Structures are given as structure tokens and as C-alpha cells.
Amino acid sequence: MAVIPTTTTAAAAAAAAAAADRATSRNPSRSPSRQGLGRTAANHVPLTPMGFLDRSAQVQRGDTVAILAPNTPAMLEAHLGIPLCGAAILQAIAAMGFDVDHVYGITEVSGTPVSCVRQTGWADLPEAARAKLQARQGVRAAALEDLRVLNPDTLQPVPADGLTAGEIMLRGNTVMKGYLKNPAATDKAFAGGWFHTGDIAVMHPDGYVQITDRSKDVIISGGENISSVEVEDVLHRHPAVLLAAVVAQPDERWGEVPCAFVELKPEAVGTVSAEELIAFCRSHLARFKCPRHVVFDALPRTATGKIQKFRLREIAGSREAITQLAQLPAD
């Protein structure tokens, strides 16, 4: 089976994997997570988990898939790096028969310093419940000195209640020394002796960290914080939705409101309306968290498959563009 076309980096990763022991590549009973990456051949290499779902029709049960998520080169069935991915996508991938480990990484820290280590008993849970647990970023790796969720203003730990939001902060010798020739940015990133990741998260009672959003992606509507990831996760549960991205849209009354950009599955194009998706969100979320507008279109992506939210913010910032694209009257 042919390797899915990809960039030089991904091709090199696939070639390295393929040069290893190919005898195990078609045996679904032997997981690479128990063998080590070097002994597993990859016959598919999409660049992101969402890209994998997009091309899933080409994948057969038992195939070995290498996924390189942005900043997190990884092997599916050994590691799966998903930037701010909700439970819906994890559940969809697991339903295809893949053994998923969720890890978290960031450019400024070597390797993947945080991993959602599976606990005894998780495998016996229903798929939806297991996916919710595996959607958490997890606990620190042994090589990382410290991982905490702190109030960014006071640098005090947030309560481990799974509700109170803070910022993920890291410390250790695997963290970068600083930004090249940019002391101001370095000082800001290491304020208080911690590396500030910019990822907003909660700490669960069991010590597992879960990202709720990037600080720049939090939508503030009428003084209430709305997690774009939470809204995206609900949208991904709709059977017609392939990909979804939610950004802030300026609003005269509330300051900001959520605006959803949705890419439908090919077979669902023309079968679902914006009103239907908004109603679906209202059945799962508080009303103020639901998108005010829904735009159906192919989502802009980088060469690695990461959704370009900055471009969506530019569109959402234009009232006229949103009205035209969504074909809905402006509020």
C-alpha cells in the first residue's frame, strides 16, 4: 500500500520506520507501544490526527499509521500528539481499532514532557468515558523537573478540582534556555522562574492536567470565558462534521461571541444547516457558549495540516465577510 504523500520530514520518518522490521507491520495484535518504534513499518503518514480522519477510508484495520502532529513527531499506536484535541476525535480514532496514547509537547521543551498515562481499569470503561479520560494531557514525564497549573498573576497553584483554570507552567533541564537574541521575550516567558506555556488548563483531583484552550483562543463574552476547545469538541460529535474551529467574533453588546468554521464530511455537504448545528450545540452547552454564526467551508491549514486560526480570526473580525459566508443576517 502506498504511503500518503507528505512533507520531507514525514517522509523521512516513514522511511526510517519502514527500514525496520517489516514483519510486524500488518499484525494488529502486536502494538508498537510494546515493541518500540524502530520495529514497526508505517504504510500511511498523514500529518495530523484530523488529517488521518480525513483519509481514514484509505486505512485498513491492522495498518500501522505514523502521525506527525505539529511540534510532536509521533507514531500512532505508540504516541499520538494532538494539539488541543477533544474527546470526540480520540474516540473516533480509537473506534477504528487503534491503541491511542495522548502526549503533549511544545517547541520550547525537548520531547513530549507530558503524557496521559493510562490507568488500570480504563480499558474496561465505555468508549466515550475512556475517550474523556484520554483527552487529558496527563502527568509529567520522569525527565521533567516540574509541571504545575498556576494562576498566571500570583503563580499560586489552582485547586485540583477540574474546574479552576490556570496556565500550564514547566521547569527543568529539558526546557529551552531562551529565545535567540530576544531577551525581552525570554524574560517574559520565564517570569517567576517558570516557563509559561500559554496553555490554559485545569488540574483534576487525580493529578492529571487537561488543557482547555490556548490563552489567545479564549473567547470572552459578556465577562464570561468560553473555551473554544469545548465548543469544537461538541461540534465534532455531530455526525456530519469532519473538522471544526471556533474563534472570537466581535460583538457590540457582548464584546465577543463564538463563531464556528465547519468543514463537513463529503457525503454530508448540503444536508445540514447552520441552525441545526447551533441547536445541536445548545443541547450540549450553555446557550452563551454556542456559536452565533456558522460558516461552512474548507478550513485553511498549514503544510503540516494545522488549522490556521489566525486566518479565521481575520474573517471573523469582518462583520460583512461573516454575513456573506454564513448567509445569515447580522445581529
Side-chain angles (χ1 to χ4, degrees):
M1 188 174 296
V3 174
I4 295 174
T6 179
T7 64
T8 301
T9 301
D21 182 6
R22 294 179 179 272
T24 61
S25 65
R26 306 286 304 180
N27 187 343
S29 66
R30 300 184 66 185
S31 169
S33 62
R34 290 182 288 274
Q35 298 180 64
L37 301 184
R39 298 184 59 190
T40 304
N43 48 24
H44 290 283
V45 191
L47 288 183
T48 64
M50 289 179 286
F52 168 64
L53 291 178
D54 195 15
R55 305 178 186 187
S56 60
Q58 303 175 42
V59 181
Q60 300 177 18
R61 187 173 295 272
D63 284 351
T64 300
V65 181
I67 286 186
L68 291 115
N71 303 330
T72 312
M75 287 284 289
L76 189 69
E77 287 198 308
H79 290 294
L80 179 59
I82 303 182
L84 306 184
C85 174
I89 291 178
L90 279 173
Q91 185 176 353
I93 295 175
M96 295 176 187
F98 290 96
D99 187 18
V100 178
D101 283 344
H102 185 188
V103 299
Y104 163 84
I106 188 169
T107 303
E108 291 87 348
V109 182
S110 177
T112 50
V114 183
S115 175
C116 188
V117 180
R118 284 174 286 182
Q119 299 296 322
T120 303
W122 285 13
D124 300 325
L125 295 173
E127 285 187 0
R130 185 168 65 251
K132 286 183 179 180
L133 290 172
Q134 290 184 289
R136 301 182 298 179
Q137 278 58 44
V139 293
R140 70 174 179 86
L144 185 69
E145 178 185 337
D146 210 349
L147 157 71
R148 296 189 186 182
V149 179
L150 305 178
N151 180 307
D153 297 321
T154 65
L155 296 184
Q156 294 301 308
V158 301
D161 55 10
L163 298 172
T164 307
E167 183 178 356
I168 289 183
M169 301 198 189
L170 308 174
R171 188 159 58 190
N173 62 3
T174 59
V175 180
M176 70 167 186
K177 293 179 65 176
Y179 295 108
L180 182 64
K181 298 180 180 178
N182 195 338
T186 299
D187 290 344
K188 181 179 179 180
F190 285 95
W194 290 90
F195 172 64
H196 298 237
T197 65
D199 287 321
I200 305 303
V202 296
M203 178 71 76
H204 288 279
D206 60 2
Y208 277 59
V209 167
Q210 182 170 10
I211 293 177
T212 58
D213 222 333
R214 289 286 296 172
S215 57
K216 63 183 178 182
D217 291 335
V218 173
I219 301 166
I220 303 176
S221 184
E224 297 285 348
N225 288 356
I226 301 173
S227 166
S228 63
V229 173
E230 181 182 10
V231 184
E232 290 163 0
D233 190 37
V234 169
L235 286 167
H236 282 133
R237 296 181 203 168
H238 193 284
V241 173
L242 176 65
L243 298 174
V246 176
V247 298
Q249 178 188 355
D251 183 84
E252 292 181 0
R253 180 180 181 184
W254 301 109
E256 295 178 340
V257 293
C259 177
F261 291 81
V262 174
E263 185 173 334
L264 296 174
K265 296 176 182 177
E267 66 274 15
V269 173
T271 66
V272 63
S273 67
E275 292 83 358
E276 180 180 337
L277 287 185
I278 292 173
F280 180 80
C281 288
R282 286 177 177 171
S283 68
H284 293 83
L285 295 168
R287 191 180 182 91
F288 77 93
K289 295 183 178 181
C290 298
R292 186 69 58 90
H293 289 122
V294 176
V295 177
F296 295 108
D297 203 357
L299 300 187
R301 310 178 201 182
T302 66
T304 61
K306 187 175 182 180
I307 295 173
Q308 295 178 311
K309 277 199 168 182
F310 73 92
R311 291 181 57 184
L312 300 181
R313 291 190 196 96
E314 291 174 357
I315 298 173
S318 169
R319 193 178 187 83
E320 293 74 16
I322 285 294
T323 302
Q324 181 179 1
L325 287 171
Q327 297 183 341
L328 289 173
D331 292 336

